[in-house]
Amino acid sequence: GFVALLSNNHLISVARYDEPRPKELAAPPEGDVHSWTLIAPAYTLSRSVEVLLSIGQTIHVVDATESEDRMLDIGPFTHISVSPNGRFVALYTETGKAYVITSDFQNRLSEHDSKSKIPPKDVQWCGNDAVVIAWEDEVHIIGPNNAAAKYFYDGRVHLIAGMALTR
């Protein structure tokens, strides 16, 4: 399925393509959406899609029945990325800081200051243990316990998210 963000911040969800039945999710608060992503139903307690919206300094989690403010004060977030297993969320701020938190927003696991005034092109997960932040010619890899590595390249960098398949 998919979720569409409308110009009035309302969210429309279509769970299945073979039987498309658009369904409006709970109404989020007003304000500019800086970035957004979703957590697939397989990884939520409600077993329905959850949308993470960066509005103001915080994240709002919107599902079919409610919109809940996660009471963060470290945003706004220019990038939000959910780990492949749905357990972790990477947040990147306008000030160049990256945070890895649990998807229930109860624990902050790591923090990284990129010291970059330029917003990255992309933020993706590498497996479930590391976050990759990419600019045009620079990559930061953030691992568990605030571990970090920086790489510089002569040409442009492109991240491609993917999953390994086994038989």
Side-chain angles (χ1 to χ4, degrees):
F2 71 91
V3 174
L5 175 63
L6 306 180
S7 60
N8 63 359
N9 283 9
H10 287 253
L11 298 156
I12 305 295
S13 171
V14 173
R16 298 174 48 164
Y17 294 122
D18 58 343
E19 293 182 33
R21 293 192 178 116
K23 178 179 167 184
E24 187 170 6
L25 300 181
E30 292 183 15
D32 291 336
V33 175
H34 303 284
S35 61
W36 65 290
T37 194
L38 35 113
I39 301 177
Y43 303 115
T44 65
L45 291 175
S46 66
R47 294 295 179 213
S48 65
V49 68
E50 291 182 355
V51 180
L52 309 180
L53 298 169
S54 172
I55 299 175
Q57 299 291 310
T58 190
I59 297 286
H60 292 269
V61 178
V62 181
D63 63 17
T65 59
E66 67 181 340
S67 173
E68 186 177 339
D69 184 347
R70 292 303 181 167
M71 301 297 184
L72 300 177
D73 62 357
I74 52 177
F77 305 102
T78 60
H79 294 77
I80 307 170
S81 184
V82 177
S83 65
N85 66 7
R87 294 177 52 203
F88 308 108
V89 178
L91 304 169
Y92 190 88
T93 69
E94 290 180 337
T95 61
K97 290 194 176 180
Y99 300 92
V100 175
I101 60 175
T102 54
S103 59
D104 63 3
F105 293 83
Q106 297 301 309
N107 298 304
R108 190 180 302 179
L109 304 174
S110 64
E111 179 178 332
H112 171 73
D113 188 352
S114 71
K115 298 183 177 27
S116 176
K117 303 298 179 209
I118 300 168
K121 299 289 182 195
D122 204 358
V123 175
Q124 296 284 340
W125 281 85
C126 181
N128 292 302
D129 296 321
V131 175
V132 180
I133 306 167
W135 291 265
E136 290 222 4
D137 60 354
E138 184 176 341
V139 171
H140 295 193
I141 301 175
I142 316 310
N145 303 314
N146 295 317
K150 297 179 184 182
Y151 300 93
F152 301 90
Y153 297 91
D154 292 332
R156 287 192 171 181
V157 174
H158 300 280
L159 296 184
I160 300 174
M163 298 181 67
L165 300 176
T166 58
R167 290 184 175 193

